[in-house]
Amino acid sequence: ESESQMTRIMDISALTTLPSVPLKNLTGCSRWTYSIDINTPCIKTDNVRDFGDGENCEFETVFVLKDFQAPEYSFLYKNDNRILGPPAVMHCASKGEPLPFSSRPLYSMTMLNLSLCFTGFRKKDEVVTLVNLVHHMGGTIRKEFDSAKVTHLIARSTHGEKYRLAVCMGTPILTPEWIHKAWEHRDDINFHAGNEEFRTEFKVPPFQDCVLSFLGFSEEEKTNMEERTQKHGGRFQAVGDERCTHLVVEENSIKELPFTPSKRLYVVKQEWFWGSIQMDARAGEIMYSYEKPESPAMKKAVSLLSLTTPNSGRKRRRLRETLAQLTKETEISPFPPRKRPSAEHSISMGSLLDFSNTPDTCKSIGENAKPPKSSTPALPKQSARWQVSKELYQTESNYVDILATVLQLFKYPLEKEGQVGGPILAQEEIKTIFGSIPDIYDVHTRIKADLEELVMNWSEEKSVGDIILKYSRELVKAYPPFVNFFEMSKETIVKCERQKPRFHAFLKINQSKPECGRQTLVELLIRPVQRLPSVALLLNDIKKHTSDENPDKVTLEKAIESLREVMTHINEDKRKTEGQKQIFDVVYEVDGCPANLLSSHRSLVHRVETIALGDKPCDRGEHVTLFLFNDCLEIARKRHKVITTFRSPLGQTRPPAQLKHIALMPLSQIRRVLDIQDTEECQNAFALVVRPPTEQENLLFSFQLTAEDTLKSTWLKTLCRQVANTICRADAEDLIQSTDPDSVQVSTKDMDSTLSRASRAIKKTSKKVTRAFSFTKTPKRVLQRAFMANGTPDERSPGPDADHMGRMSSSSTLAAVHSPSMINLSSAFERKYHTFSRSTTHLF
């Protein structure tokens, strides 16, 4: 009320009834308990023209109308009278507030304190109608988008600057139907249009006005994306259709577009699609614009190396350089960058860190780094113990990086407050998925720092085992809660991805980033389940290369035992019974298979049949079976002739072993997987570049796949994935290098020719003769070896000479022919043959 005037309420009786009584009787509803009187004179009339001329100076008249579409409303509005609706009056009465002074008609407070902005409308009449409704419900309109004042954007289109600003600022973007639906609730004084639950169904879908097409996706992915396009307000057409507004490209598989896109067509990466769904708003195309990827420099690694010269020595030298180049170009130094105090220090550090360097590559460091002329630029040979310790640090560093990726790309963004569109997951779901990952990350970050200090300042007397023992208690606390509930974590991810489209889009965006190496969140979260067994294997390998006089040998045994203690806290139900059965089958199928292949944490991943193409790990033309496990590769060749059968102590007869053990190789020793290009003289071939910890040079194992149902690309990807898991790297496909067969001297030509078979027969005969002259194989010797194989450990403890002779005997078949660029495999892999009651099975 103004000081000079009194306010009187004119009740238009034809439209509403407003008696001059306390408010509790005004509504006729028992739920109102207010005892506040309006304390304003009220007049009931059927003719507004008697009071609507505005000439009365004693009272300021406020007209209360039920229907803002009635003729009386038009009359009062034209005469600039104050007009309210019953809900507005009741709202003021319930709050104990005076009637609002508004130059515009006000029916209710449904949009009180809301400020709206409009975009994308083409019909002026539609905008005028919407603006009037907003004013009637107490809202305000702003012509320009001011993020500090505009609370909601009403959009007919997802184009335009206002839309982009609203997306960036997280302002709700709603359809005009939100205003119409709010007007239907105008008589409910407890209703407010800004209620989040109410407005959610009126959000502008992210793909409104968009016609999408998809390029480079599998049929399953394409179908999924098309369904989600329709669900989120868009349409889809075939690639190249003129109606398309967006072309979504799978950037990892598409190198060139099949056509030249028009200027109005947005060509975007798939991250734009999933990002739009996650934000529940159309993302800006410029940030996700597809660009033709540059050819990686890795493709030139092998093409520059020609091996066409007839000089055999040059071929061998170039093959060594090729293998060194293949491992060097993608092998990331495990140590952080350091400032170089001097050139002399730099060259010694480089020699320590990169064993693929050669004297030639060292020359390129710089003039100041050149050694004196009197010195020989030879690399210091490090011990096998140091090399395995370095490998432990490398894998630990990679593992910490993967845990950091899980936290930074997935956990922290999900926990972030103020997410566009609201929280993606509930806090309980986030806790179930990630569990104790932060605790695991914390302890391994400190282990990594200690290992780095140890390797960078190496001496044989330093203890590796002490580092693990130092953190054993923290490992016991951190790991079991996560590993034991990993299945629940995985199920939660699957359920949320299926039920929550925004979480599905969130995973799609982050799983496609390079840090994830195209792995899913579930695949990344399984790393903690696999890590401790891998560390135990590496510690065991370090212990193997530790002398008995070194105090660290006892410490390493304690460290390994502490890891076993951690693993005993993990439920036995997590162990895969079927996987263990498969390993037992391999052990019985392969004669001489090492006993340490049996492990509760090891599982068989894949098996392939091949033919050896080089002289390593066995003779060219031999039929070789590769058993790929999750952490190692068992290499076995087909036996030439088998007699008798294996009989167990229980009297059960097993089929004779069809394969002969060659080597059990840890996957961490595979530095590169070569996808050898198909030519007329080389078909379906691949190779492994291997570097054992005891050697300075690389080995090349080349094979030809023989099974028709084995796709080479699938097999190589599976192999690289397991290698990457073992060394804790996310970029599995970076381990694959495509190369031409001439660069690595590989050919599959004449593998089954008569000449080739005759050559292999000659080699075998030559080996038998060599063995005959090298060792005295009398019946007495055979009996002695059989007795030693079945005796107790104390009875068959060989002396130094016997151990040396045994090693020479076990590797004699592999030492006959030397590779120009490789050392003997028996020195590369330390093999221990264990007899599984097969003393009566012999190879002829």
Side-chain angles (χ1 to χ4, degrees):
E1 297 181 29
S2 65
E3 294 181 359
S4 59
Q5 289 182 316
M6 294 182 59
T7 302
R8 61 177 179 178
I9 298 179
M10 296 301 301
D11 176 21
I12 312 305
S13 60
L15 305 174
T16 186
T17 300
L18 191 61
S20 180
V21 293
L23 186 60
K24 61 180 180 180
N25 296 327
L26 173 67
T27 61
C29 181
S30 60
R31 64 187 178 95
W32 293 102
T33 59
Y34 302 107
S35 59
I36 303 174
D37 290 334
I38 296 177
N39 293 324
T40 301
C42 297
I43 299 175
K44 180 178 178 183
T45 181
D46 292 326
N47 187 5
V48 297
R49 297 181 185 274
D50 294 340
F51 302 91
D53 53 9
E55 295 180 355
N56 193 322
C57 298
E58 184 180 357
F59 293 96
E60 180 184 357
T61 306
V62 178
F63 293 87
V64 180
L65 286 80
K66 177 75 172 175
D67 186 1
F68 275 25
Q69 300 295 324
E72 289 81 0
Y73 170 83
S74 300
F75 173 79
L76 294 173
Y77 181 71
K78 289 178 182 179
N79 286 276
D80 296 326
N81 287 283
R82 291 176 62 183
I83 306 174
L84 296 177
V89 177
M90 290 187 288
H91 173 84
C92 293
S94 65
K95 299 292 185 181
E97 300 172 351
L99 295 176
F101 183 87
S102 175
S103 60
R104 299 188 183 94
L106 178 64
Y107 186 86
S108 68
M109 303 297 186
T110 305
M111 287 191 173
L112 185 65
N113 299 324
L114 299 186
S115 181
L116 279 57
C117 186
F118 292 82
T119 184
F121 289 84
R122 296 182 178 181
K123 298 180 180 180
K124 184 177 180 180
D125 294 342
E126 182 183 12
V127 177
V128 170
T129 301
L130 293 172
V131 168
N132 288 334
L133 291 179
V134 172
H135 286 155
H136 293 342
M137 291 184 286
T140 59
I141 304 295
R142 292 195 171 270
K143 184 176 181 181
E144 300 299 330
F145 185 88
D146 185 343
S147 59
K149 298 179 180 179
V150 174
T151 60
H152 298 78
L153 179 68
I154 310 302
R156 274 290 188 197
S157 172
T158 56
H159 303 277
E161 186 66 22
K162 292 180 180 179
Y163 183 89
R164 298 280 177 240
L165 288 172
V167 172
C168 293
M169 302 306 299
T171 303
I173 306 172
L174 306 175
T175 63
E177 285 70 25
W178 173 64
I179 298 176
H180 291 292
K181 197 68 175 179
W183 181 248
E184 294 179 7
H185 292 268
R186 63 188 180 275
D187 292 319
D188 185 355
I189 64 172
N190 295 313
F191 174 81
H192 194 270
N195 182 277
E196 185 174 353
E197 185 178 350
F198 169 72
R199 77 183 186 201
T200 298
E201 61 176 300
F202 301 104
K203 286 184 178 180
V204 173
F207 301 132
Q208 182 171 298
D209 300 331
C210 296
V211 182
L212 278 55
S213 57
F214 302 93
L215 179 64
F217 301 92
S218 66
E219 285 299 322
E220 182 179 358
E221 290 177 317
K222 183 180 176 183
T223 301
N224 177 36
M225 296 174 83
E226 288 174 347
E227 291 175 353
R228 293 184 182 277
T229 299
Q230 291 181 319
K231 184 178 180 180
H232 290 85
R235 295 176 294 146
F236 63 88
Q237 295 293 340
V239 173
D241 193 291
E242 295 181 354
R243 292 169 290 179
C244 291
T245 59
H246 294 75
L247 175 61
V248 183
V249 179
E250 210 293 314
E251 63 274 15
N252 296 313
S253 61
I254 298 299
K255 305 304 178 185
E256 291 187 6
L257 297 178
F259 63 93
T260 302
S262 62
K263 293 183 179 180
R264 70 178 188 84
L265 179 66
Y266 291 107
V267 182
V268 293
K269 297 181 287 188
Q270 60 172 325
E271 189 175 353
W272 171 85
F273 178 85
W274 297 114
S276 298
I277 296 178
Q278 179 189 328
M279 296 189 302
D280 210 6
R282 178 179 162 188
E285 288 81 6
I286 297 177
M287 294 176 57
Y288 305 99
S289 179
Y290 170 80
E291 297 177 359
K292 181 179 178 181
E294 297 180 1
S295 300
M298 292 295 300
K299 293 183 178 180
K300 300 179 181 179
V302 183
S303 61
L304 299 177
L305 303 173
S306 172
L307 298 174
T308 58
T309 173
N311 188 306
S312 178
R314 187 178 299 176
K315 283 186 177 182
R316 296 176 183 179
R317 185 172 62 255
R318 291 203 177 191
L319 181 58
R320 284 197 299 271
E321 294 173 358
T322 300
L323 299 181
Q325 181 77 0
L326 289 171
T327 57
K328 177 183 177 183
E329 289 201 356
T330 58
E331 182 176 359
I332 303 174
S333 174
F335 306 106
R338 287 195 167 191
K339 293 185 178 180
R340 185 171 56 180
S342 68
E344 181 180 358
H345 175 74
S346 174
I347 190 169
S348 62
M349 186 61 66
S351 302
L352 288 173
L353 301 188
D354 192 354
F355 281 89
S356 61
N357 286 338
T358 63
D360 293 334
T361 60
C362 291
K363 293 178 183 178
S364 62
I365 297 178
E367 293 182 1
N368 295 330
K370 291 182 180 179
K373 294 182 179 180
S374 59
S375 64
T376 303
L379 292 171
K381 184 175 181 180
Q382 294 295 332
S383 66
R385 171 176 156 84
W386 183 87
Q387 290 222 38
V388 182
S389 299
K390 171 194 169 185
E391 182 181 336
L392 175 61
Y393 170 74
Q394 283 178 315
T395 58
E396 186 69 15
S397 179
N398 294 336
Y399 177 59
V400 170
D401 289 344
I402 287 177
L403 294 178
T405 297
V406 170
L407 294 175
Q408 294 169 6
L409 284 187
F410 297 96
K411 186 176 187 292
Y412 296 157
L414 288 172
E415 293 176 331
K416 185 178 180 181
E417 296 182 359
Q419 299 176 30
V420 178
I424 296 176
L425 292 181
Q427 287 298 321
E428 295 78 9
E429 294 168 331
I430 296 174
K431 187 175 181 180
T432 302
I433 290 174
F434 297 100
S436 59
I437 286 290
D439 298 330
I440 296 174
Y441 172 72
D442 179 65
V443 64
H444 278 278
T445 299
R446 286 178 280 150
I447 292 175
K448 171 192 169 183
D450 289 355
L451 288 175
E452 179 183 332
E453 177 65 24
L454 178 139
V455 177
M456 292 293 292
N457 303 284
W458 176 260
S459 68
E460 291 296 324
E461 292 74 23
K462 291 199 172 183
S463 175
V464 181
D466 280 340
I467 296 176
I468 305 301
L469 288 175
K470 178 181 176 182
Y471 298 100
S472 60
R473 290 187 178 179
E474 295 181 58
L475 293 173
V476 170
K477 293 179 181 178
Y479 269 92
F482 179 82
V483 177
N484 288 342
F485 293 95
F486 173 71
E487 290 299 323
M488 183 184 297
S489 172
K490 185 168 66 174
E491 291 172 2
T492 303
I493 294 174
V494 174
K495 181 189 71 175
C496 292
E497 186 176 11
R498 183 175 62 251
Q499 297 178 353
K500 302 185 177 183
R502 293 181 61 213
F503 181 63
H504 177 78
F506 173 82
L507 292 181
K508 285 289 185 179
I509 293 172
N510 291 287
Q511 288 170 175
S512 64
K513 292 182 178 178
E515 298 94 314
C516 293
R518 299 188 185 181
Q519 295 183 87
T520 65
L521 177 58
V522 172
E523 290 171 334
L524 291 174
L525 287 175
I526 203 174
R527 296 301 181 85
V529 180
Q530 302 169 337
R531 181 56 186 164
L532 292 186
S534 299
V535 173
L537 289 175
L538 287 170
L539 292 178
N540 196 54
D541 205 6
I542 295 174
K543 187 184 79 171
K544 188 189 303 180
H545 296 294
T546 302
S547 63
D548 294 337
E549 296 78 18
N550 194 325
D552 195 30
K553 187 145 192 172
V554 177
T555 309
L556 284 168
E557 290 178 354
K558 294 180 180 178
I560 295 171
E561 185 61 32
S562 71
L563 291 181
R564 287 175 182 162
E565 179 184 352
V566 177
M567 290 183 280
T568 56
H569 286 77
I570 298 173
N571 291 339
E572 295 294 330
D573 295 341
K574 305 298 179 185
R575 303 183 180 181
K576 300 178 180 178
T577 306
E578 184 60 30
Q580 296 303 303
K581 180 180 180 299
Q582 292 177 337
I583 298 179
F584 274 105
D585 292 340
V586 173
V587 169
Y588 285 117
E589 187 178 1
V590 179
D591 185 24
C593 185
N596 58 6
L597 179 66
L598 295 170
S599 172
S600 61
H601 299 281
R602 181 170 290 132
S603 59
L604 179 64
V605 177
H606 201 50
R607 166 181 178 160
V608 293
E609 304 295 333
T610 67
I611 296 178
L613 299 180
D615 53 3
K616 297 292 178 183
C618 58
D619 291 337
R620 174 181 169 85
E622 291 274 12
H623 288 266
V624 177
T625 301
L626 303 178
F627 296 94
L628 175 62
F629 295 89
N630 59 307
D631 62 344
C632 61
L633 183 70
E634 165 65 19
I635 306 175
R637 65 168 175 82
K638 185 178 180 181
R639 299 190 64 175
H640 305 137
K641 187 176 180 181
V642 181
I643 62 173
T644 193
T645 56
F646 167 75
R647 182 175 294 276
S648 69
L650 298 177
Q652 298 175 342
T653 302
R654 281 185 174 271
Q658 301 297 320
L659 302 172
K660 180 71 175 178
H661 169 74
I662 296 177
L664 179 62
M665 180 175 64
L667 294 182
S668 58
Q669 296 181 7
I670 299 178
R671 302 300 178 180
R672 181 57 62 83
V673 176
L674 301 183
D675 182 3
I676 301 177
Q677 301 165 1
D678 288 345
T679 63
E680 293 183 1
E681 296 186 354
C682 188
Q683 296 287 328
N684 218 21
F686 71 95
L688 307 177
V689 180
V690 181
R691 188 168 66 198
T694 55
E695 299 300 327
Q696 300 288 324
E697 289 185 331
N698 299 306
L699 308 177
L700 182 71
F701 296 168
S702 53
F703 306 92
Q704 179 187 30
L705 291 172
T706 58
E708 295 181 356
D709 58 345
T710 301
L711 188 63
K712 183 171 71 169
S713 61
T714 303
W715 154 246
L716 295 183
K717 287 181 180 179
T718 303
L719 173 60
C720 288
R721 171 52 57 205
Q722 299 306 315
V723 173
N725 290 347
T726 302
I727 63 177
C728 292
R729 284 181 59 177
D731 50 347
E733 294 191 4
D734 287 351
L735 295 170
I736 301 178
Q737 170 67 50
S738 178
T739 181
D740 62 279
D742 291 338
S743 299
V744 288
Q745 304 178 18
V746 172
S747 173
T748 60
K749 188 177 181 181
D750 300 328
M751 288 295 296
D752 295 326
S753 65
T754 304
L755 181 62
S756 178
R757 289 194 295 270
S759 175
R760 292 198 294 270
I762 292 173
K763 285 185 179 180
K764 293 173 186 176
T765 304
S766 175
K767 288 182 181 180
K768 290 180 181 179
V769 173
T770 302
R771 288 196 299 268
F773 282 96
S774 299
F775 305 98
T776 306
K777 292 189 176 181
T778 61
K780 180 180 178 181
R781 181 71 171 173
V782 174
L783 291 174
Q784 182 180 0
R785 285 193 294 175
F787 173 76
M788 291 176 64
N790 291 278
T792 64
D794 294 334
E795 291 172 343
R796 61 173 186 267
S797 300
D801 295 337
D803 180 74
H804 175 66
M805 294 295 286
R807 288 178 181 271
M808 293 181 61
S809 174
S810 65
S811 61
S812 60
T813 58
L814 300 173
V817 182
H818 290 278
S819 169
S821 65
M822 299 169 238
I823 48 84
N824 193 358
L825 188 63
S826 59
S827 64
F829 309 114
E830 189 169 333
R831 298 169 297 164
K832 294 182 180 179
Y833 295 95
H834 299 264
T835 305
F836 288 82
S837 302
R838 285 187 180 141
S839 58
T840 59
T841 305
H842 303 289
L843 176 65
F844 288 85

